[in-house]
Amino acid sequence: MKVEALPAIKGNYNLQDYEETYKTFDWKETEKSFSWSETGKVNMAYEAIDRHAESFRKNKIALYYRNDSRKEKYTFKELKELTNKAGNVLKSYGDVEKGDRVFIFMPRSPEFYFAALGAIKLGAIVGPLFEAFMEGAVKDRLEDSEAKVLVTTPDLLYRVPVDQLPALKTIFIVGTDVEEDGKYVDFLKHLEDAPSSLDIEWVDRNDGLILHYTSGSTGKPKGVLHVHNAMIQHYQTAKWVLDLQEEDIYWCTADPGWVTGTSYGMFGPWLTGTSNVIIGGRFSPDAWYKTIEEFGVTVWYSAPTSFRMLMGAGDEVIKKYNLSTLRHILSVGEPLNPEVIRWGRKVFNHRIHDTWWMTETGAHLICNYPSMEIKPGSMGKPIPGVEAAIVDDQGNVLPPNRMGNLAIKRGWPSMMHTIWNNQAKYDSYFFPNGWYVSGDSAYMDEDGYFWFQGRVDDVIMTAGERVGPFEVESKLLEHPAVAEAGVIGKPDPVRGEIIKAFVALMDGYEESDELKEDIRQFVKKGFAAHAAPREIEFRDKLPKTRSGKIMRRVLKAWELDLPVGDLSTMED
Ligand code: WTA
């Protein structure tokens, strides 16, 4: 693959000499940026907010917010006070203490961040939930984590099966005219009255910070626990990869229900004292371009699906807006097509920089830095302090240009600490010789660039969101008409993959388009809109192993007209 001649953007705070930095860098250097490296007393919320509120940045805007009905901004000083107040409310009315799980289930809004950072100031573990989750998804997560407190809005409350969640003691409602009753507490009323000073709970660097549930190919979603120590890498990559500088206006389009929306939607930008734009409401090309113009966004972090949707909307709409403030654009979550990079260069006059990492890894691992030559289609190179390789199924490192498992040498600061209630699952990520196995297949070229090839397992990436086929199949099976269900990701030009379900019906049910729609709605309403199959195909019978496991690879081969391969384990 040849290197395309593209103009190099030189960031100021970066890796002018990548090779040299890579050889000599040690994470201990980054750690020294924080005073806790000496005291050992740490709290993410202090480092992200209070530290700036007590510095020359105190009147700098930390948060710009807009949705359809609100437009607000908050300085670091104001955020310090509001997160203190939120901490006091959670403590006084929810009895929140160190280690408690505080879940937040609400649309993106300033209150989301007040509550999250307030909880972190108390040493609690925050569990952010994507607003589109329906009852089943909400229940799984609150149950597994034994959440003690939930912060939510009146509209979403009906999706919380409160009486089935014995550990859940208090529910804070963020809304107007909230009726307080037993477990239910009016968050905003008490926020107003709460004291604006708070004694921060200083914790150990390996104490819990945030719990992100994510999907694998089997089983229920698993709780990936990150700890305060992750800030070392959030901070360093916000500098190196996002290239955040004092004057930047930064916009990350991801929802905090996903890891990108926390690691790089709150922690990274605020640890570096950057002005952070947060937008509520729905995606539309006009709304997005308007955001860049209105706030003068300089650094923009989004995902391939969004870029492809913008590309599909055409270049005319771009001409209506002044996007000249943009200086650095990044992407994460799925493979970034060379075509999108070329489009970005044409319409924004910037290359879009791909970054690779996972919920489990907590922060960037393999990236294209501002100072680096991009090979369109490649995820880039490991950042300093991170050792990446392609290994075979036994954990042996493979030479360049051989496809295998993308693996990372254990020991980067933002690595997940455990899988909640499932240490065995955590351990299963590692080869005995210390390689963390990502579940992605890739190869490395002779220049050390990594090229994504696909998932090793059946995990689906649709519109940048990670969906476990098993969870969707389980929901499908709850529908009275469904006897068997198998779910795959089907390649799609805009969304990367869409979810396709193969369904065998119970006796007595007739195939029809109405039934398909009914099944689709069933998953959408009972589980989550983004996990509802866009396509459903009825089959009399699905391919299964002798042990009864649906063979998704056979379904995929049917769909893509590929050879079905070895069928020796198939029943009949
Ligand atoms: C995929 C998102 C190709 C990959 C931060 C990974 C990517 C999974 C890229 C993690 C990329 C992420 N190119 N694929 N640049 N970045 N992925 O946990 O399959 O939601 O394993 O984390 O997304 O998804 P997750």
PDB file of all heavy atoms in Angstrom, residues 108-133:
ATOM      1  N   ARG A 108     -27.804  13.736  27.028  1.00  0.00           N
ATOM      2  CA  ARG A 108     -26.690  14.646  27.252  1.00  0.00           C
ATOM      3  C   ARG A 108     -27.202  16.013  27.701  1.00  0.00           C
ATOM      4  O   ARG A 108     -27.998  16.628  27.004  1.00  0.00           O
ATOM      5  CB  ARG A 108     -25.964  14.854  25.928  1.00  0.00           C
ATOM      6  CG  ARG A 108     -24.625  14.212  25.861  1.00  0.00           C
ATOM      7  CD  ARG A 108     -24.074  14.309  24.471  1.00  0.00           C
ATOM      8  NE  ARG A 108     -24.665  13.296  23.592  1.00  0.00           N
ATOM      9  CZ  ARG A 108     -24.282  13.108  22.346  1.00  0.00           C
ATOM     10  NH1 ARG A 108     -23.349  13.871  21.820  1.00  0.00           N
ATOM     11  NH2 ARG A 108     -24.840  12.166  21.613  1.00  0.00           N
ATOM     12  N   SER A 109     -26.743  16.470  28.841  1.00  0.00           N
ATOM     13  CA  SER A 109     -27.154  17.774  29.347  1.00  0.00           C
ATOM     14  C   SER A 109     -26.131  18.169  30.394  1.00  0.00           C
ATOM     15  O   SER A 109     -25.403  17.306  30.894  1.00  0.00           O
ATOM     16  CB  SER A 109     -28.531  17.672  30.001  1.00  0.00           C
ATOM     17  OG  SER A 109     -28.427  16.820  31.129  1.00  0.00           O
ATOM     18  N   PRO A 110     -26.051  19.445  30.769  1.00  0.00           N
ATOM     19  CA  PRO A 110     -25.086  19.829  31.811  1.00  0.00           C
ATOM     20  C   PRO A 110     -25.281  19.014  33.085  1.00  0.00           C
ATOM     21  O   PRO A 110     -24.312  18.622  33.728  1.00  0.00           O
ATOM     22  CB  PRO A 110     -25.398  21.312  32.032  1.00  0.00           C
ATOM     23  CG  PRO A 110     -25.917  21.772  30.706  1.00  0.00           C
ATOM     24  CD  PRO A 110     -26.710  20.611  30.177  1.00  0.00           C
ATOM     25  N   GLU A 111     -26.537  18.713  33.418  1.00  0.00           N
ATOM     26  CA  GLU A 111     -26.811  17.978  34.668  1.00  0.00           C
ATOM     27  C   GLU A 111     -26.161  16.596  34.656  1.00  0.00           C
ATOM     28  O   GLU A 111     -25.798  16.068  35.701  1.00  0.00           O
ATOM     29  CB  GLU A 111     -28.318  17.832  34.898  1.00  0.00           C
ATOM     30  CG  GLU A 111     -29.023  19.137  35.213  1.00  0.00           C
ATOM     31  CD  GLU A 111     -29.168  20.046  33.999  1.00  0.00           C
ATOM     32  OE1 GLU A 111     -29.202  19.532  32.857  1.00  0.00           O
ATOM     33  OE2 GLU A 111     -29.224  21.276  34.178  1.00  0.00           O
ATOM     34  N   PHE A 112     -26.056  16.007  33.477  1.00  0.00           N
ATOM     35  CA  PHE A 112     -25.368  14.720  33.386  1.00  0.00           C
ATOM     36  C   PHE A 112     -23.957  14.850  33.956  1.00  0.00           C
ATOM     37  O   PHE A 112     -23.503  14.038  34.757  1.00  0.00           O
ATOM     38  CB  PHE A 112     -25.305  14.241  31.927  1.00  0.00           C
ATOM     39  CG  PHE A 112     -24.603  12.925  31.775  1.00  0.00           C
ATOM     40  CD1 PHE A 112     -25.314  11.754  31.649  1.00  0.00           C
ATOM     41  CD2 PHE A 112     -23.211  12.847  31.820  1.00  0.00           C
ATOM     42  CE1 PHE A 112     -24.661  10.526  31.558  1.00  0.00           C
ATOM     43  CE2 PHE A 112     -22.554  11.639  31.732  1.00  0.00           C
ATOM     44  CZ  PHE A 112     -23.285  10.479  31.597  1.00  0.00           C
ATOM     45  N   TYR A 113     -23.259  15.910  33.533  1.00  0.00           N
ATOM     46  CA  TYR A 113     -21.859  16.076  33.934  1.00  0.00           C
ATOM     47  C   TYR A 113     -21.751  16.521  35.396  1.00  0.00           C
ATOM     48  O   TYR A 113     -20.824  16.121  36.097  1.00  0.00           O
ATOM     49  CB  TYR A 113     -21.156  17.044  32.971  1.00  0.00           C
ATOM     50  CG  TYR A 113     -21.204  16.493  31.559  1.00  0.00           C
ATOM     51  CD1 TYR A 113     -22.283  16.771  30.708  1.00  0.00           C
ATOM     52  CD2 TYR A 113     -20.233  15.604  31.108  1.00  0.00           C
ATOM     53  CE1 TYR A 113     -22.373  16.207  29.449  1.00  0.00           C
ATOM     54  CE2 TYR A 113     -20.316  15.039  29.852  1.00  0.00           C
ATOM     55  CZ  TYR A 113     -21.391  15.337  29.018  1.00  0.00           C
ATOM     56  OH  TYR A 113     -21.476  14.763  27.783  1.00  0.00           O
ATOM     57  N   PHE A 114     -22.709  17.335  35.866  1.00  0.00           N
ATOM     58  CA  PHE A 114     -22.689  17.712  37.284  1.00  0.00           C
ATOM     59  C   PHE A 114     -22.792  16.433  38.131  1.00  0.00           C
ATOM     60  O   PHE A 114     -22.037  16.239  39.085  1.00  0.00           O
ATOM     61  CB  PHE A 114     -23.870  18.611  37.681  1.00  0.00           C
ATOM     62  CG  PHE A 114     -24.018  19.875  36.880  1.00  0.00           C
ATOM     63  CD1 PHE A 114     -25.240  20.551  36.859  1.00  0.00           C
ATOM     64  CD2 PHE A 114     -22.962  20.394  36.145  1.00  0.00           C
ATOM     65  CE1 PHE A 114     -25.396  21.713  36.133  1.00  0.00           C
ATOM     66  CE2 PHE A 114     -23.112  21.565  35.410  1.00  0.00           C
ATOM     67  CZ  PHE A 114     -24.338  22.221  35.398  1.00  0.00           C
ATOM     68  N   ALA A 115     -23.755  15.597  37.769  1.00  0.00           N
ATOM     69  CA  ALA A 115     -24.005  14.391  38.565  1.00  0.00           C
ATOM     70  C   ALA A 115     -22.820  13.434  38.485  1.00  0.00           C
ATOM     71  O   ALA A 115     -22.376  12.891  39.507  1.00  0.00           O
ATOM     72  CB  ALA A 115     -25.283  13.702  38.090  1.00  0.00           C
ATOM     73  N   ALA A 116     -22.298  13.237  37.278  1.00  0.00           N
ATOM     74  CA  ALA A 116     -21.198  12.279  37.111  1.00  0.00           C
ATOM     75  C   ALA A 116     -19.976  12.738  37.908  1.00  0.00           C
ATOM     76  O   ALA A 116     -19.389  11.965  38.678  1.00  0.00           O
ATOM     77  CB  ALA A 116     -20.851  12.123  35.634  1.00  0.00           C
ATOM     78  N   LEU A 117     -19.597  13.992  37.739  1.00  0.00           N
ATOM     79  CA  LEU A 117     -18.397  14.471  38.425  1.00  0.00           C
ATOM     80  C   LEU A 117     -18.638  14.622  39.929  1.00  0.00           C
ATOM     81  O   LEU A 117     -17.725  14.403  40.736  1.00  0.00           O
ATOM     82  CB  LEU A 117     -17.928  15.784  37.794  1.00  0.00           C
ATOM     83  CG  LEU A 117     -17.380  15.597  36.366  1.00  0.00           C
ATOM     84  CD1 LEU A 117     -17.415  16.909  35.591  1.00  0.00           C
ATOM     85  CD2 LEU A 117     -15.960  15.040  36.390  1.00  0.00           C
ATOM     86  N   GLY A 118     -19.866  14.962  40.300  1.00  0.00           N
ATOM     87  CA  GLY A 118     -20.213  15.041  41.719  1.00  0.00           C
ATOM     88  C   GLY A 118     -20.060  13.676  42.373  1.00  0.00           C
ATOM     89  O   GLY A 118     -19.505  13.549  43.469  1.00  0.00           O
ATOM     90  N   ALA A 119     -20.534  12.647  41.693  1.00  0.00           N
ATOM     91  CA  ALA A 119     -20.414  11.282  42.229  1.00  0.00           C
ATOM     92  C   ALA A 119     -18.945  10.881  42.332  1.00  0.00           C
ATOM     93  O   ALA A 119     -18.522  10.276  43.328  1.00  0.00           O
ATOM     94  CB  ALA A 119     -21.178  10.303  41.334  1.00  0.00           C
ATOM     95  N   ILE A 120     -18.180  11.249  41.324  1.00  0.00           N
ATOM     96  CA  ILE A 120     -16.747  10.902  41.344  1.00  0.00           C
ATOM     97  C   ILE A 120     -16.053  11.609  42.510  1.00  0.00           C
ATOM     98  O   ILE A 120     -15.177  11.048  43.164  1.00  0.00           O
ATOM     99  CB  ILE A 120     -16.093  11.242  39.985  1.00  0.00           C
ATOM    100  CG1 ILE A 120     -16.626  10.285  38.902  1.00  0.00           C
ATOM    101  CG2 ILE A 120     -14.569  11.174  40.069  1.00  0.00           C
ATOM    102  CD1 ILE A 120     -16.265  10.672  37.479  1.00  0.00           C
ATOM    103  N   LYS A 121     -16.460  12.831  42.793  1.00  0.00           N
ATOM    104  CA  LYS A 121     -15.869  13.550  43.934  1.00  0.00           C
ATOM    105  C   LYS A 121     -16.111  12.820  45.246  1.00  0.00           C
ATOM    106  O   LYS A 121     -15.343  12.953  46.188  1.00  0.00           O
ATOM    107  CB  LYS A 121     -16.426  14.976  44.021  1.00  0.00           C
ATOM    108  CG  LYS A 121     -15.799  15.904  42.980  1.00  0.00           C
ATOM    109  CD  LYS A 121     -16.238  17.355  43.144  1.00  0.00           C
ATOM    110  CE  LYS A 121     -15.347  18.259  42.280  1.00  0.00           C
ATOM    111  NZ  LYS A 121     -15.757  19.683  42.357  1.00  0.00           N
ATOM    112  N   LEU A 122     -17.192  12.035  45.316  1.00  0.00           N
ATOM    113  CA  LEU A 122     -17.483  11.260  46.532  1.00  0.00           C
ATOM    114  C   LEU A 122     -16.771   9.906  46.522  1.00  0.00           C
ATOM    115  O   LEU A 122     -16.953   9.107  47.429  1.00  0.00           O
ATOM    116  CB  LEU A 122     -18.991  11.019  46.650  1.00  0.00           C
ATOM    117  CG  LEU A 122     -19.887  12.260  46.711  1.00  0.00           C
ATOM    118  CD1 LEU A 122     -21.358  11.847  46.737  1.00  0.00           C
ATOM    119  CD2 LEU A 122     -19.544  13.105  47.932  1.00  0.00           C
ATOM    120  N   GLY A 123     -16.027   9.632  45.454  1.00  0.00           N
ATOM    121  CA  GLY A 123     -15.350   8.343  45.354  1.00  0.00           C
ATOM    122  C   GLY A 123     -16.251   7.240  44.835  1.00  0.00           C
ATOM    123  O   GLY A 123     -15.896   6.066  44.874  1.00  0.00           O
ATOM    124  N   ALA A 124     -17.443   7.621  44.344  1.00  0.00           N
ATOM    125  CA  ALA A 124     -18.364   6.611  43.808  1.00  0.00           C
ATOM    126  C   ALA A 124     -17.943   6.202  42.400  1.00  0.00           C
ATOM    127  O   ALA A 124     -17.137   6.883  41.761  1.00  0.00           O
ATOM    128  CB  ALA A 124     -19.786   7.167  43.783  1.00  0.00           C
ATOM    129  N   ILE A 125     -18.517   5.108  41.935  1.00  0.00           N
ATOM    130  CA  ILE A 125     -18.253   4.605  40.588  1.00  0.00           C
ATOM    131  C   ILE A 125     -19.450   4.973  39.713  1.00  0.00           C
ATOM    132  O   ILE A 125     -20.585   4.617  40.029  1.00  0.00           O
ATOM    133  CB  ILE A 125     -18.063   3.077  40.613  1.00  0.00           C
ATOM    134  CG1 ILE A 125     -16.853   2.715  41.489  1.00  0.00           C
ATOM    135  CG2 ILE A 125     -17.921   2.517  39.201  1.00  0.00           C
ATOM    136  CD1 ILE A 125     -16.713   1.231  41.766  1.00  0.00           C
ATOM    137  N   VAL A 126     -19.186   5.685  38.636  1.00  0.00           N
ATOM    138  CA  VAL A 126     -20.272   6.157  37.779  1.00  0.00           C
ATOM    139  C   VAL A 126     -20.571   5.146  36.676  1.00  0.00           C
ATOM    140  O   VAL A 126     -19.659   4.632  36.033  1.00  0.00           O
ATOM    141  CB  VAL A 126     -19.905   7.523  37.154  1.00  0.00           C
ATOM    142  CG1 VAL A 126     -20.898   7.910  36.067  1.00  0.00           C
ATOM    143  CG2 VAL A 126     -19.862   8.591  38.230  1.00  0.00           C
ATOM    144  N   GLY A 127     -21.858   4.863  36.481  1.00  0.00           N
ATOM    145  CA  GLY A 127     -22.282   4.004  35.377  1.00  0.00           C
ATOM    146  C   GLY A 127     -23.153   4.803  34.421  1.00  0.00           C
ATOM    147  O   GLY A 127     -24.326   5.041  34.721  1.00  0.00           O
ATOM    148  N   PRO A 128     -22.599   5.252  33.308  1.00  0.00           N
ATOM    149  CA  PRO A 128     -23.414   6.034  32.377  1.00  0.00           C
ATOM    150  C   PRO A 128     -24.222   5.112  31.477  1.00  0.00           C
ATOM    151  O   PRO A 128     -23.702   4.110  30.986  1.00  0.00           O
ATOM    152  CB  PRO A 128     -22.374   6.812  31.562  1.00  0.00           C
ATOM    153  CG  PRO A 128     -21.119   6.009  31.639  1.00  0.00           C
ATOM    154  CD  PRO A 128     -21.205   5.118  32.850  1.00  0.00           C
ATOM    155  N   LEU A 129     -25.490   5.433  31.290  1.00  0.00           N
ATOM    156  CA  LEU A 129     -26.343   4.610  30.433  1.00  0.00           C
ATOM    157  C   LEU A 129     -26.839   5.433  29.256  1.00  0.00           C
ATOM    158  O   LEU A 129     -27.328   6.550  29.426  1.00  0.00           O
ATOM    159  CB  LEU A 129     -27.555   4.097  31.207  1.00  0.00           C
ATOM    160  CG  LEU A 129     -27.293   3.106  32.329  1.00  0.00           C
ATOM    161  CD1 LEU A 129     -28.614   2.707  32.992  1.00  0.00           C
ATOM    162  CD2 LEU A 129     -26.575   1.873  31.799  1.00  0.00           C
ATOM    163  N   PHE A 130     -26.748   4.854  28.092  1.00  0.00           N
ATOM    164  CA  PHE A 130     -27.183   5.507  26.862  1.00  0.00           C
ATOM    165  C   PHE A 130     -28.694   5.728  26.923  1.00  0.00           C
ATOM    166  O   PHE A 130     -29.442   4.831  27.290  1.00  0.00           O
ATOM    167  CB  PHE A 130     -26.819   4.587  25.697  1.00  0.00           C
ATOM    168  CG  PHE A 130     -27.045   5.172  24.350  1.00  0.00           C
ATOM    169  CD1 PHE A 130     -26.664   6.476  24.068  1.00  0.00           C
ATOM    170  CD2 PHE A 130     -27.613   4.412  23.334  1.00  0.00           C
ATOM    171  CE1 PHE A 130     -26.861   7.015  22.806  1.00  0.00           C
ATOM    172  CE2 PHE A 130     -27.809   4.938  22.069  1.00  0.00           C
ATOM    173  CZ  PHE A 130     -27.431   6.239  21.808  1.00  0.00           C
ATOM    174  N   GLU A 131     -29.135   6.927  26.560  1.00  0.00           N
ATOM    175  CA  GLU A 131     -30.550   7.281  26.736  1.00  0.00           C
ATOM    176  C   GLU A 131     -31.505   6.406  25.923  1.00  0.00           C
ATOM    177  O   GLU A 131     -32.693   6.327  26.233  1.00  0.00           O
ATOM    178  CB  GLU A 131     -30.790   8.749  26.390  1.00  0.00           C
ATOM    179  CG  GLU A 131     -30.481   9.058  24.953  1.00  0.00           C
ATOM    180  CD  GLU A 131     -30.888  10.468  24.532  1.00  0.00           C
ATOM    181  OE1 GLU A 131     -32.086  10.769  24.580  1.00  0.00           O
ATOM    182  OE2 GLU A 131     -30.002  11.236  24.148  1.00  0.00           O
ATOM    183  N   ALA A 132     -30.998   5.747  24.879  1.00  0.00           N
ATOM    184  CA  ALA A 132     -31.892   4.941  24.046  1.00  0.00           C
ATOM    185  C   ALA A 132     -32.175   3.556  24.630  1.00  0.00           C
ATOM    186  O   ALA A 132     -32.970   2.801  24.082  1.00  0.00           O
ATOM    187  CB  ALA A 132     -31.300   4.796  22.646  1.00  0.00           C
ATOM    188  N   PHE A 133     -31.522   3.220  25.742  1.00  0.00           N
ATOM    189  CA  PHE A 133     -31.767   1.894  26.319  1.00  0.00           C
ATOM    190  C   PHE A 133     -33.210   1.744  26.774  1.00  0.00           C
ATOM    191  O   PHE A 133     -33.792   2.655  27.351  1.00  0.00           O
ATOM    192  CB  PHE A 133     -30.852   1.650  27.519  1.00  0.00           C
ATOM    193  CG  PHE A 133     -29.448   1.280  27.138  1.00  0.00           C
ATOM    194  CD1 PHE A 133     -28.397   1.591  27.972  1.00  0.00           C
ATOM    195  CD2 PHE A 133     -29.178   0.608  25.949  1.00  0.00           C
ATOM    196  CE1 PHE A 133     -27.090   1.252  27.628  1.00  0.00           C
ATOM    197  CE2 PHE A 133     -27.881   0.258  25.610  1.00  0.00           C
ATOM    198  CZ  PHE A 133     -26.838   0.586  26.445  1.00  0.00           C
TER     199      PHE A 133
END
